[in-house]
Amino acid sequence: TARTIDSEEAYLRELAAVRAAGVAIDNEENEPGVRCAAVPLYNHEGRVTAALSISTLTTGVDEAELESYIALLKQAATDISAQMGYRAK
């Protein structure tokens, strides 16, 4: 789409932002009108082994509501990771 990251420089900036925020967001990059957010799940070794995500329509979920969903995703990811033996350092 017109929003797709299409340069190495932009991609590396986005990766840094994802690491800092702890969430990856597909903001209509794959499908116009659809936004997705994903957070990592960690195993007992501290390795990312899966992700938890949500997809929404841009017409139905505004930025503030998306942020509230991301907070719920992060809490669920923390809980699931702990159940898999992950202990934050």
Side-chain angles (χ1 to χ4, degrees), residues 16-24 38-40 42 70 74 77:
V18 167
R19 283 187 186 106
V23 61
V39 296
Y42 297 92
I70 289 170
K74 285 182 173 182

Side-chain angles (χ1 to χ4, degrees), residues 1-5 14 25-32 34:
T1 71
R3 292 179 164 265
T4 300
I5 297 169
E14 182 66 17
I25 298 177
D26 169 352
N27 192 13
E28 299 183 84
E29 294 164 43
N30 185 55
E31 183 76 27
V34 178

Side-chain angles (χ1 to χ4, degrees), residues 2-75:
R3 292 179 164 265
T4 300
I5 297 169
D6 60 0
S7 75
E8 181 178 358
E9 183 178 298
Y11 179 69
L12 294 174
R13 276 196 312 270
E14 182 66 17
L15 282 178
V18 167
R19 283 187 186 106
V23 61
I25 298 177
D26 169 352
N27 192 13
E28 299 183 84
E29 294 164 43
N30 185 55
E31 183 76 27
V34 178
R35 219 177 358 214
C36 308
V39 296
L41 299 177
Y42 297 92
N43 70 7
H44 65 285
E45 296 175 326
R47 293 184 181 178
V48 176
T49 57
L52 190 60
S53 70
I54 185 170
S55 297
T56 67
L57 296 176
T58 57
T59 56
V61 176
D62 63 20
E63 291 292 327
E65 191 172 8
L66 181 62
E67 287 300 320
S68 70
Y69 291 148
I70 289 170
L72 292 171
L73 277 176
K74 285 182 173 182
Q75 184 57 58

Side-chain angles (χ1 to χ4, degrees), residues 41-44 76-88:
L41 299 177
Y42 297 92
N43 70 7
H44 65 285
T78 297
D79 295 345
I80 293 168
S81 294
Q83 291 174 10
M84 293 193 304
Y86 176 69
R87 300 293 177 255

